Amino acid sequence: MNDSEREHQQVGSDLRLEGLHGSLADPAMASMNFLNEVAIRYPDAISFAAGRPLEDFFDFDEVHRYVDVFVAHLRQERSMNEAEAKRTVLQYGRTKGIIHDLVSRQLAVDEGINVTSDSIVVTVGCQEAMFLVLRALRADARDVVLAISPTYVGLAGAARLVDCPVWPVRSGPTGIDFDDLTAQATAARSAGLRPRALYVIPDAANPTGISLDLETRRKLLSAAAVEDLLLLEDNAYGVFAGKARIPSLKTLDTQRRVVRLGSFAKTVLPGARVGYVVADQRVAEGDGSGQVSLFADHLSTIKSMLTVNTAPLAQAVIGGALLDNGHSLLAANHREIELYQRNLRLMLKGLESRFGTSAAGDPQVTWNTPSGGFFLTLTVPFEADDVLLERSAKDYGVLWTPMSHFYAGNGGSHQIRLSLSQLDPQSIESGLDRLSALVKYCS
Amino acid sequence: MNDSEREHQQVGSDLRLEGLHGSLADPAMASMNFLNEVAIRYPDAISFAAGRPLEDFFDFDEVHRYVDVFVAHLRQERSMNEAEAKRTVLQYGRTKGIIHDLVSRQLAVDEGINVTSDSIVVTVGCQEAMFLVLRALRADARDVVLAISPTYVGLAGAARLVDCPVWPVRSGPTGIDFDDLTAQATAARSAGLRPRALYVIPDAANPTGISLDLETRRKLLSAAAVEDLLLLEDNAYGVFAGKARIPSLKTLDTQRRVVRLGSFAKTVLPGARVGYVVADQRVAEGDGSGQVSLFADHLSTIKSMLTVNTAPLAQAVIGGALLDNGHSLLAANHREIELYQRNLRLMLKGLESRFGTSAAGDPQVTWNTPSGGFFLTLTVPFEADDVLLERSAKDYGVLWTPMSHFYAGNGGSHQIRLSLSQLDPQSIESGLDRLSALVKYCS
């Protein structure tokens, strides 16, 4: 230790931020903290910001019962005795999970996806799934991932932890600008980089609410083959995407191009923190042996160094819920789907009645019309930044999310993400009145 | 995509191992897989290999009851109504956790550690805690950590995920060779590197079973100050370390040198996957503002990008167990402590009766005498490698762990880790008989 270090210690700090990993000094982190902190400071504001699922049907007895249902399944369907069932749910468990077979059946029942259960790794939410895939793909400084912009902040966060640059691809009117996709992949290769994958939320995307149509999905699978990209399909909201559900990318995938990232946080219980990744890609060992392994097994190896396994007890809750609903999340969520759809209708109607009648030539407030999900996008004729959000919370009692947070600060300055998942008809009406007053003030 | 890449695809693989992160091609991973796989192939062998806690007292009703106890606590002690209690346990939760106050009280009650609860981050087992700390400290290619060798494999795994070299420090007769510690730190600095921390398990270490005496602990804290190292104290087994418990490093720490890593997997329930890190270090913001933040808050930021939060439902189980036992893990484990101590006595006695009487000059089998914990070290007059383990399992029906796995392949060739946590008197006697037969064959 030299003198300057000794002196530094004496002024009362033990570490310095610039000596810690770069992710911690990232301005995006400070901005996410700001969003959380505004929500805490204005608890009485009506929130179009929270992306959490409805809590109305949460129930402790139901949670206990799900565990019991799963344990009964272990004893009856898997012929376990009491000691084996206890060991499975309460002891250290299999790294890839204990409900992989139930997840595989859910994917078959709800989406027509046929993957073997050994290509599934059960994870600590979808966030860990993203980390596992990005850690595997970021082999050295040449590796980058592409992501449809605006992008879910969790993807950007996981990428930061493995120092992996995220190259944005424009979404355009259909949800994917294919010219930009080609341009970005080409530019990355020209710079000596390796674009490994494209991250996309095809159904009821966070933050925009957009779903890709079937033609765009097929075109995306072709483009991924041409550019030799994996597609990282995040599908946390597909169950809520509306009646005219479109096949997921993994459903359409015939060439193992798609790594599917999933979550039970929105569809069963956030408090269990269970997600999964489907990774049926074959990996050549590269030792000339001709041996081929499953990508899922390599993700499992990474998981063994990261969290060892996903709490088997938490998996048991999700497993019980799947068993109780014939392996269908659509069935498990019939009440929630109805309420989210009602909220969406009320939001669209409420926006129309407040902003649909401006005289031609007036600055317009416009919005998209998602078929389902938790979110929609509002475009306003003024800058909707963090400063305005603070004023909106303080003076108008309404919270929302500046879309610029999902563009890494490089776009979306006049857009707002509106979330509808935790509202009731009364709060939607009052919230939109408050938003309308804010818009009048700004225009 | 070029021609060779196209051709590669046609031979039936989608990815190549050499294109994935280096941790996946690490020989240490293959060797850990071998250990697991041997145990699966010989299910009838008596196992001195498993490091899992005793399962005898696991009980589903007890787990449900712990959740109920925690919920009652939220309502009575934290004045929550039903909706707030449900939101706390079943919804997305605070990144740093919901049982931080109970963990802080446990540390005070059992160990006399006084830290505020905001310096605690509740994690997905101790493994995630190690990752968070190593990710924070590995800022660039200069950062390395030191670790007492032999080292718990989980530390090496987490370090691999952030490409952080681990420099071994010899343990020597007292558990730490201070000359080697100074030599390694000096060598690292001379090579332009920054040794950031030293990883150590002071109580009933995995894999050796050694506990550091009080003088060694005090000397270690001084050495850490001189070398400006953080001490990463992993204390998963302290509760089981025996009657003459010695203050932990964090108990003795007056200068915030110690980052404490903890786990409830051994002391409450592995199936909940709950651990924690105590990080009360002050971090200077480095923008000249003089602002100081808590290291725990930076670890929380990393966690928000990795797993978002630790399943609140799983935390509720641990919280209930702490509440039910007056915040004491010693109290919660009185039956387990007794059984592990009995097993240790039987192991030491059984080793003495089988190997204590060789004639002078004969090749000796020797062992250490831990005061508690799950492990002890056997030294044998032959190479105890994976090949011998396979033969031991197949021909002698007994499993153990080659100590070389904990030396990154660079030491411990004649040592064996014996685990005692899951045995009963009968299996200890039979297991030692089998081990004795193996030793006779090898000598």
Side-chain angles (χ1 to χ4, degrees):
Chain A
M1 192 163 61
N2 62 32
D3 283 350
S4 104
E5 282 166 342
R6 263 181 234 281
E7 184 183 356
H8 152 61
Q9 277 206 297
Q10 285 159 7
V11 303
S13 73
D14 312 304
L15 294 163
R16 302 177 75 92
L17 187 56
E18 65 267 32
L20 302 180
H21 187 246
S23 58
L24 294 169
D26 193 311
M29 292 318 304
S31 96
M32 292 311 294
N33 283 343
F34 169 78
L35 294 180
N36 291 329
E37 183 261 338
V38 168
I40 290 164
R41 271 194 291 127
Y42 299 97
D44 296 330
I46 293 176
S47 178
F48 291 115
R52 298 170 163 207
L54 196 71
E55 300 165 359
D56 299 20
F57 306 119
F58 288 177
D59 184 82
F60 285 115
D61 291 338
E62 192 82 344
V63 169
H64 290 341
R65 196 175 64 77
Y66 284 152
V67 174
D68 296 341
V69 167
F70 183 73
V71 172
H73 162 80
L74 293 180
R75 301 183 72 164
Q76 287 151 27
E77 305 295 318
R78 296 201 212 163
S79 308
M80 289 190 187
N81 63 29
E82 178 72 13
E84 289 163 339
K86 282 204 287 189
R87 190 171 303 133
T88 302
V89 176
L90 303 180
Q91 186 54 277
Y92 283 98
R94 180 174 175 272
T95 303
K96 288 166 78 177
I98 60 170
I99 58 166
H100 50 303
D101 55 333
L102 302 178
V103 175
S104 151
R105 284 164 82 177
Q106 184 269 319
L107 290 169
V109 167
D110 281 337
E111 303 195 38
I113 293 173
N114 290 303
V115 286
T116 57
S117 59
D118 65 349
S119 44
I120 292 169
V121 182
V122 182
T123 55
V124 182
C126 191
Q127 189 64 35
E128 189 193 29
M130 292 191 287
F131 179 87
L132 297 180
V133 173
L134 293 175
R135 175 66 292 173
L137 295 179
R138 173 75 174 175
D140 67 38
R142 290 169 295 175
D143 297 305
V144 301
V145 295
L146 311 180
I148 300 301
S149 182
T151 305
Y152 172 53
V153 290
L155 186 278
R160 243 175 255 128
L161 290 187
V162 297
D163 301 307
C164 182
V166 178
W167 286 44
V169 171
R170 281 199 292 267
S171 44
T174 63
I176 297 177
D177 179 334
F178 286 99
D179 290 339
D180 196 42
L181 171 54
T182 306
Q184 296 298 333
T186 305
R189 292 206 174 88
S190 304
L193 302 174
R194 295 187 294 208
R196 303 297 300 260
L198 170 70
Y199 174 83
V200 57
I201 307 180
D203 287 297
N206 182 3
T208 61
I210 294 174
S211 293
L212 304 181
D213 65 25
L214 184 59
E215 191 196 336
T216 303
R217 291 174 197 229
R218 292 197 192 284
K219 211 170 151 189
L220 178 56
L221 284 158
S222 301
V226 169
E227 298 295 344
D228 195 19
L229 295 170
L230 290 173
L231 294 176
L232 311 184
E233 176 189 36
D234 181 347
N235 204 311
Y237 304 96
V239 162
F240 309 114
K243 276 175 188 157
R245 292 174 69 237
I246 303 163
S248 76
L249 292 174
K250 192 63 191 167
T251 312
L252 299 169
D253 179 28
T254 55
Q255 299 187 299
R256 300 182 304 272
R257 277 278 155 210
V258 178
V259 173
R260 169 63 172 267
L261 308 163
S263 170
F264 296 103
K266 311 296 187 295
T267 50
V268 182
L269 199 74
R273 286 303 298 141
V274 178
Y276 63 89
V277 50
V278 178
D280 58 354
Q281 287 69 32
R282 298 181 196 149
V283 179
E285 290 293 324
D287 54 2
S289 68
Q291 276 199 309
V292 169
S293 50
L294 266 176
F295 191 33
D297 286 321
H298 295 283
L299 299 182
S300 173
T301 297
I302 294 174
K303 183 172 171 64
S304 73
M305 302 185 260
L306 190 68
T307 58
V308 183
N309 58 50
T310 303
L313 182 63
Q315 293 184 64
V317 173
I318 306 303
L322 290 173
L323 288 163
D324 214 39
N325 287 280
H327 306 92
S328 169
L329 291 175
L330 282 168
N333 284 277
H334 66 96
R335 297 173 301 185
E336 286 84 352
I337 290 168
E338 199 172 293
L339 285 170
Y340 295 142
Q341 286 284 328
R342 179 204 65 187
N343 283 0
L344 179 59
R345 283 194 305 274
L346 292 175
M347 289 284 284
L348 292 171
K349 204 175 144 197
L351 289 168
E352 179 64 33
S353 71
R354 285 164 183 82
F355 304 114
T357 54
S358 352
D362 270 13
Q364 294 281 316
V365 174
T366 59
W367 56 93
N368 64 353
T369 54
S371 59
F374 285 17
F375 307 107
L376 55 78
T377 304
L378 198 70
T379 303
V380 292
F382 48 82
E383 197 165 337
D385 58 9
D386 287 355
V387 175
L388 187 66
L389 169 60
E390 172 96 38
R391 179 181 297 270
S392 175
K394 180 164 175 281
D395 295 343
Y396 295 87
V398 62
L399 293 166
W400 38 269
T401 309
M403 194 65 89
S404 54
H405 287 277
F406 305 98
Y407 280 96
N410 197 15
S413 63
H414 287 57
Q415 291 191 317
I416 282 172
R417 185 190 77 172
L418 293 181
S419 170
L420 52 82
S421 55
Q422 289 205 311
L423 301 171
D424 57 30
Q426 175 59 43
S427 56
I428 290 173
E429 289 308 310
S430 306
L432 289 179
D433 284 345
R434 296 175 186 195
L435 196 63
S436 182
L438 175 74
V439 167
K440 282 206 181 71
Y441 159 81
C442 292
S443 302
Chain B
M1 192 163 62
N2 62 34
D3 283 349
S4 105
E5 281 166 341
R6 263 181 235 281
E7 184 183 356
H8 153 61
Q9 276 207 297
Q10 285 160 8
V11 303
S13 72
D14 312 303
L15 294 163
R16 301 178 76 93
L17 187 56
E18 65 267 34
L20 302 180
H21 187 247
S23 58
L24 295 168
D26 193 311
M29 293 318 304
S31 95
M32 292 311 295
N33 284 343
F34 169 78
L35 293 180
N36 291 329
E37 183 261 338
V38 168
I40 289 164
R41 271 194 291 128
Y42 299 98
D44 296 329
I46 293 176
S47 179
F48 292 115
R52 299 170 163 208
L54 197 70
E55 300 165 359
D56 299 19
F57 305 118
F58 288 177
D59 184 83
F60 285 115
D61 290 339
E62 192 82 342
V63 169
H64 291 339
R65 196 175 64 78
Y66 284 153
V67 174
D68 295 341
V69 167
F70 183 72
V71 171
H73 162 79
L74 292 179
R75 301 183 72 165
Q76 287 152 27
E77 305 296 317
R78 296 201 211 163
S79 307
M80 290 190 187
N81 62 30
E82 178 73 13
E84 289 164 338
K86 282 203 286 188
R87 191 171 303 132
T88 302
V89 177
L90 304 179
Q91 186 54 276
Y92 283 98
R94 180 173 175 272
T95 303
K96 288 166 78 177
I98 60 170
I99 58 166
H100 49 305
D101 55 333
L102 302 178
V103 175
S104 152
R105 284 163 82 177
Q106 184 269 318
L107 290 169
V109 167
D110 282 337
E111 302 194 39
I113 293 174
N114 289 303
V115 286
T116 57
S117 60
D118 65 348
S119 42
I120 292 170
V121 182
V122 183
T123 55
V124 182
C126 190
Q127 190 64 35
E128 189 193 29
M130 292 191 288
F131 179 87
L132 297 181
V133 173
L134 292 175
R135 175 66 293 174
L137 295 179
R138 173 74 173 174
D140 66 40
R142 290 170 294 174
D143 296 306
V144 301
V145 296
L146 311 180
I148 301 301
S149 182
T151 306
Y152 171 54
V153 291
L155 187 276
R160 245 175 254 128
L161 290 186
V162 297
D163 300 308
C164 182
V166 178
W167 286 44
V169 171
R170 281 198 293 269
S171 45
T174 63
I176 297 177
D177 179 334
F178 287 98
D179 291 339
D180 196 42
L181 172 53
T182 306
Q184 296 298 332
T186 305
R189 291 205 174 88
S190 302
L193 302 175
R194 295 188 293 208
R196 303 296 301 261
L198 170 70
Y199 174 83
V200 58
I201 306 180
D203 287 297
N206 182 3
T208 60
I210 294 174
S211 294
L212 305 181
D213 64 25
L214 184 59
E215 190 195 338
T216 304
R217 290 174 199 229
R218 292 197 191 282
K219 210 170 153 190
L220 178 56
L221 284 158
S222 301
V226 169
E227 297 296 344
D228 195 19
L229 295 170
L230 289 173
L231 294 176
L232 311 185
E233 175 189 35
D234 181 347
N235 205 310
Y237 304 96
V239 163
F240 309 114
K243 275 176 191 157
R245 291 174 70 237
I246 302 164
S248 76
L249 292 174
K250 193 62 191 166
T251 311
L252 300 169
D253 179 28
T254 55
Q255 299 187 299
R256 300 183 303 273
R257 276 282 153 206
V258 178
V259 174
R260 169 64 172 266
L261 308 163
S263 170
F264 297 103
K266 310 295 187 295
T267 50
V268 183
L269 198 75
R273 287 303 298 138
V274 178
Y276 64 89
V277 50
V278 178
D280 57 353
Q281 286 69 32
R282 298 182 195 149
V283 179
E285 291 293 325
D287 54 0
S289 67
Q291 276 200 308
V292 170
S293 49
L294 266 176
F295 191 33
D297 285 321
H298 295 284
L299 300 182
S300 174
T301 296
I302 293 174
K303 182 172 171 65
S304 73
M305 303 185 260
L306 190 67
T307 59
V308 182
N309 58 51
T310 303
L313 183 63
Q315 293 184 65
V317 174
I318 305 303
L322 290 173
L323 288 162
D324 214 39
N325 288 281
H327 306 92
S328 170
L329 291 174
L330 282 168
N333 284 277
H334 66 97
R335 297 173 301 185
E336 287 84 351
I337 290 169
E338 199 173 294
L339 285 170
Y340 295 141
Q341 286 283 330
R342 179 204 64 188
N343 283 0
L344 179 59
R345 283 194 305 273
L346 292 175
M347 288 285 285
L348 291 171
K349 204 175 143 196
L351 289 168
E352 180 64 34
S353 71
R354 286 166 184 83
F355 304 115
T357 54
S358 351
D362 270 13
Q364 294 282 316
V365 173
T366 58
W367 56 93
N368 63 354
T369 53
S371 59
F374 286 18
F375 308 108
L376 56 78
T377 305
L378 198 70
T379 304
V380 293
F382 47 84
E383 197 165 337
D385 59 8
D386 287 356
V387 174
L388 187 66
L389 170 60
E390 173 95 38
R391 179 181 296 271
S392 175
K394 181 163 175 281
D395 295 343
Y396 295 87
V398 62
L399 293 165
W400 38 268
T401 310
M403 195 64 89
S404 54
H405 286 276
F406 304 98
Y407 281 96
N410 197 15
S413 63
H414 288 56
Q415 291 191 317
I416 282 172
R417 184 190 78 172
L418 293 181
S419 170
L420 53 82
S421 55
Q422 289 205 311
L423 301 171
D424 56 31
Q426 174 60 44
S427 56
I428 289 174
E429 289 307 311
S430 305
L432 290 180
D433 284 345
R434 296 175 186 194
L435 197 62
S436 181
L438 175 73
V439 167
K440 283 205 180 69
Y441 159 81
C442 291
S443 302

